[in-house]
Structure formats: C-alpha cells, structure tokens
Amino acid sequence: MSKVILDKNDMASFLSGCTQILNDYITSTERENQDQILNRKGLAEYFHVSPNSIDDWVNLGMPYIQLSKTKRFSTKSALKWLHGHEETKQNKKRPIHVINE
C-alpha cells in the first residue's frame, strides 16, 4: 500500500478543496430538490426527454397549471406523478398460455 505524506500547507489546501467539493455538491442537490415552475420545453430539459414526451404525459394525466395559453409544470408535482406511474417487471402481468399436449 502506498502512502502520501503532506506537509501542513498541502494538507490544509487538500482539506479546503474537499470541503469546497462537498459544499458544491450539497448546494446543487438542494437546488435540484427545490420546486421549480417550468414551461413544456423547460420540463423536457429537466427530465432529458423531448417536448413531445411532455405532451404524451399530459395526455396521460400529468398535472399542469394553465396560465393564459401556456401550460406550466411544477417539478415536484411532475416527479410525484411519474413515481406513481413507475412499472417494475413484477407489476407487469404476463399472459398465460395454455398448451394442450
């Protein structure tokens, strides 16, 4: 096993860098968990899907807010709706095939 030996200045610099990385990560996570109100294109970018996918989700019942002619979406509401529509392999019903021998 190799060891790295740092003097006091290098150790302080290393710890400062680690602290900054952790603070940046915490800040970005907090920002992601905040509710945002987005338009169709913004929500598509948020979920990394096409705007047409957002239209499909709206047709399936995803909640939105109608402001004048524009639909707006709450990221928290959209996430909650998506989690309610998660499927697992266990949730899918497989057809039963009867084979007569």
Side-chain angles (χ1 to χ4, degrees):
M1 178 188 293
S2 299
K3 290 184 180 184
V4 176
I5 300 173
L6 301 173
D7 65 20
K8 287 182 181 183
N9 291 335
D10 288 339
M11 180 59 86
S13 178
F14 174 76
L15 291 174
S16 175
C18 290
T19 301
Q20 185 61 47
I21 290 169
L22 287 172
N23 285 335
D24 291 347
Y25 177 76
I26 290 167
T27 301
S28 69
T29 302
E30 288 172 349
R31 191 177 314 119
E32 289 173 5
N33 290 330
Q34 291 176 351
D35 192 19
Q36 299 176 48
I37 304 298
L38 304 172
N39 62 15
R40 174 179 165 260
K41 182 180 176 186
L43 192 68
E45 290 172 2
Y46 182 84
F47 285 117
H48 306 285
V49 298
S50 74
N52 290 337
S53 293
I54 302 302
D55 295 337
D56 293 341
W57 296 351
V58 166
N59 290 333
L60 291 171
M62 185 174 69
Y64 62 91
I65 303 159
Q66 187 76 40
L67 295 175
S68 188
K69 296 179 181 180
T70 307
K71 290 182 175 86
R72 300 288 181 184
F73 303 89
S74 158
T75 54
K76 283 194 176 191
S77 294
L79 282 167
K80 183 177 177 183
W81 181 84
L82 281 173
H83 286 301
H85 288 80
E86 287 179 331
E87 284 190 13
T88 64
K89 196 170 185 178
Q90 295 169 348
N91 290 345
K92 292 184 178 182
K93 294 185 178 182
R94 301 174 78 193
I96 298 173
H97 298 284
V98 178
I99 301 173
N100 293 325
E101 292 185 29

